[in-house]
Amino acid sequence: MSIDAIKDRLGNFAKDVKLNLSSTLNDQTLSEQTKYGLLLASAISTRNREVAAAFEAEAAKHLSPAAFEAAKAAASIMAMNNVYYRFVHLASNKEYGTKPARLRMNVIANPGVDKNDFELWSLAVSAINGCGMCIDAHEKVLREGGVTSETIQTAVRFAAIVQSVAVALEASTPAQA
């Protein structure tokens, strides 16, 4: 399935979603690698197989194999980290924050692509998954890496749009009886 096919399946109620998606795909403020890695990681994080497949097909046209794998790694590693660190942040017992996570996450230190791209993709996934602790950590690394607040906002806006596409697609699909 293509992104255009998904847009065609969205109901009339999702006109804003379609327009936002089109503007995202036409946006040229990010490099191709940054943009398509971000869209891919975000699409995977929606957990909607059709959305993920459509963005995977599009991203494959724009990303090197290493960047394609790194975007999938960002979605995967953040799925784990977002659950763990959201728990640490939300738990009343702050003792959990003093314990080692004991989670393997070597890909963050060696993602195989530009560090800022990987951090931006991780931030977008963390925004979708609602982990404030991870959002703060990735935003801090990005700012230290020279990434502007405008670029960070764009990344999170793109993630929000991809998430809205997944929700609108589900709302456009008749429920099975």
Side-chain angles (χ1 to χ4, degrees), residues 120-133:
L120 208 55
W121 304 341
S122 297
L123 172 72
V125 171
S126 296
I128 288 172
N129 291 335
C131 181
M133 197 169 178

Side-chain angles (χ1 to χ4, degrees), residues 103-145:
L103 298 171
R104 290 188 58 101
M105 52 185 106
N106 295 331
V107 70
I108 294 172
N110 188 20
V113 293
D114 178 77
K115 178 75 169 155
N116 282 341
D117 281 349
F118 192 82
E119 288 290 332
L120 208 55
W121 304 341
S122 297
L123 172 72
V125 171
S126 296
I128 288 172
N129 291 335
C131 181
M133 197 169 178
C134 292
I135 289 169
D136 287 344
H138 293 292
E139 192 268 346
K140 181 177 187 250
V141 170
L142 286 162
R143 297 296 288 169
E144 289 170 353

Side-chain angles (χ1 to χ4, degrees), residues 6-101:
I6 285 182
K7 284 196 307 191
D8 290 343
R9 286 184 48 206
L10 299 181
N12 291 334
F13 67 89
K15 181 179 180 181
D16 290 328
V17 173
K18 292 179 197 179
L19 291 171
N20 285 329
L21 179 57
S22 293
S23 70
T24 297
L25 295 171
N26 293 322
D27 186 287
Q28 296 186 11
T29 60
L30 303 175
S31 73
E32 289 251 314
Q33 176 172 292
T34 303
K35 178 168 113 175
Y36 284 97
L38 171 68
L39 294 173
L40 177 56
S42 297
I44 292 167
S45 295
T46 69
R47 293 174 179 81
N48 180 300
R49 194 62 214 139
E50 291 179 283
V51 170
F55 279 92
E56 284 174 4
E58 188 63 29
K61 300 174 192 174
H62 301 276
L63 295 175
S64 68
F68 192 86
E69 290 298 305
K72 293 194 305 184
S76 299
I77 201 73
M78 287 302 106
M80 174 184 71
N81 285 0
N82 293 160
V83 169
Y84 181 82
Y85 288 107
R86 188 171 52 234
F87 163 77
V88 168
H89 176 72
L90 294 174
S92 296
N93 183 346
K94 297 306 173 192
E95 176 185 0
Y96 298 111
T98 67
K99 297 182 177 301

